[in-house]
Amino acid sequence: MSADTARGNTGWRWALAAVIVAVAVAVALWPQFTHTDDKSAATGSTTATGPAEPAVAESDRAAAALAACPLPTGAPVGDSPLRGITLDCLADGRPVDLVAALAGKPALLNLWAYWCGPCAEELPLLQQFSQQAGNALTVLTVHTDQGTAKALSRLSGLGIHLPGVEDPNARVRTAVGAPAVLPISVLLRADGTVAKVVVRPFTSVEDISATVAAELGVRA
């Protein structure tokens, strides 16, 4: 073999090796590029708070015919865990400062969700109890999930007209330290402090009356 031929073969081998190295480097780096792109795409399509809830039609609120949420009374407030929590009223969408609105008399906050079976059985009992209690106590429903329109539809189907608020981030449940179950009833004293967190569904109007009388001193 001549010297020129040997040099030619050596040059060809070096060129082939360079191509192989380049391909190997590209293959090694490719997953990094694609993972970065995938992560960017995921970040662009998903947020910590999830997709924004569509606006609720006023006709849906009107059809539900819910009682208006209570207004601030100016009554003194104690060291309530609900202090600073403002939620939207289901009846008209306006913000409700819970402690300020409920202060002045005892209250029963019922945490529920449109998909909750035991909640659907309990809500009519709470409405009957509220009618018996009259002005002695406020019964307020707290929809503890997203989906205001679904909540309104569920209440309308059940014939429930109690005042209620929307709590998509479960702020009330978190504030009172309740477990992630539904339904839950929070019994508040007149100054907004918590008397009892009831982690079970009520089984009758008498059950509600007895529990409220024992914890809040209100007989209905």
Side-chain angles (χ1 to χ4, degrees):
M1 178 182 298
S2 66
D4 290 341
T5 301
R7 284 195 296 271
N9 289 340
T10 300
W12 178 84
R13 291 191 184 97
W14 278 111
L16 179 60
V19 171
I20 293 173
V21 170
V23 171
V25 170
V27 170
L29 292 177
W30 178 255
Q32 298 181 23
F33 295 137
T34 55
H35 290 173
T36 300
D37 291 342
D38 291 344
K39 183 177 180 180
S40 298
T43 302
S45 61
T46 304
T47 64
T49 57
E53 184 179 345
V56 179
E58 290 304 316
S59 59
D60 290 341
R61 296 190 192 276
L66 300 182
C69 291
L71 297 172
T73 63
V77 175
D79 187 16
S80 173
L82 303 182
R83 186 188 291 272
I85 296 180
T86 297
L87 302 173
D88 291 343
C89 181
L90 287 173
D92 55 18
R94 69 174 178 82
V96 178
D97 182 323
L98 287 184
V99 174
L102 296 173
K105 61 181 177 181
L108 187 161
L109 275 59
N110 182 250
L111 281 56
W112 71 288
Y114 69 87
W115 44 262
C116 170
C119 301
E121 298 176 3
E122 183 183 54
L123 283 167
L125 303 178
L126 288 165
Q127 179 155 289
Q128 293 177 48
F129 169 75
S130 178
Q131 292 170 347
Q132 290 183 191
N135 293 325
L137 176 138
T138 300
V139 177
L140 183 75
T141 69
V142 182
H143 185 242
T144 312
D145 201 346
Q146 296 183 359
T148 302
K150 292 178 180 179
L152 292 169
S153 176
R154 186 61 162 159
L155 292 171
S156 180
L158 292 170
I160 304 301
H161 303 291
L162 292 167
V165 293
E166 176 71 18
D167 187 10
N169 298 313
R171 296 178 64 192
V172 172
R173 190 188 71 203
T174 300
V176 301
V181 298
L182 292 173
I184 291 172
S185 290
V186 181
L187 304 183
L188 299 178
R189 303 181 184 93
D191 65 354
T193 56
V194 177
K196 179 77 172 181
V197 177
V198 182
V199 189
R200 65 175 179 84
F202 289 116
T203 57
S204 65
V205 176
E206 292 73 21
D207 182 14
I208 303 172
S209 297
T211 303
V212 169
E215 302 298 336
L216 295 176
V218 176
R219 300 189 180 278

